[in-house]
Amino acid sequence: MLKGKQKRQLRALAHHLTPIFQIGKSGVTSDMVKGIRDALERRELIKVSILQNCEEDKNELATLLAERTASELVQLIGNTIVLYKQSSKEKYRKIELVK
């Protein structure tokens, strides 16, 4: 579970990122979840965009993605979800969270 300072730090780091996944009409698929897991392993912090044609609730989508990818929901702002998960491999760890 992330603390307030840690979420603030991650939001600042995510500000300049562009979304690398998009959720559309088909919703969250198993292939998408696998891709997001892989991206989190390498990048630790990613943005996911929710398209306007997506019929599901964005709050439920954010929670669902965080659960299925075993990551932390950092932020849901507008139609953008920010997820964080510390990489299990030492060589991919780039983000040092404040205590």
Side-chain angles (χ1 to χ4, degrees):
M1 191 61 140
L2 295 172
K3 298 178 186 169
K5 280 186 176 184
Q6 293 169 331
K7 281 190 177 185
R8 197 164 43 247
Q9 175 190 6
L10 291 171
R11 283 195 305 260
L13 291 171
H15 179 75
H16 299 291
L17 297 178
T18 56
I20 58 172
F21 287 94
Q22 295 179 335
I23 301 173
K25 192 178 357 180
S26 61
V28 178
T29 63
S30 59
D31 288 338
M32 180 184 294
V33 171
K34 183 183 180 317
I36 291 174
R37 271 195 208 127
D38 293 343
L40 282 167
E41 181 63 36
R42 290 188 173 254
R43 298 179 183 217
E44 294 186 310
L45 186 67
I46 64 166
K47 279 185 177 179
V48 179
S49 178
I50 303 170
L51 300 177
Q52 289 182 350
N53 65 352
C54 183
E55 298 166 359
E56 297 179 46
D57 181 54
K58 61 184 178 180
N59 294 312
E60 291 175 16
L61 278 176
T63 306
L64 179 72
L65 269 181
E67 287 173 4
R68 288 193 182 171
T69 59
S71 62
E72 294 278 346
L73 176 63
V74 176
Q75 183 179 35
L76 171 62
I77 185 160
N79 287 331
T80 304
I81 302 167
V82 179
L83 297 172
Y84 169 78
K85 182 179 181 187
Q86 186 178 34
S87 179
S88 61
K89 297 180 180 158
E90 194 69 39
K91 67 179 180 179
Y92 294 131
R93 289 189 188 164
K94 301 175 196 127
I95 300 173
E96 192 68 38
L97 292 177
V98 293
K99 300 283 181 199

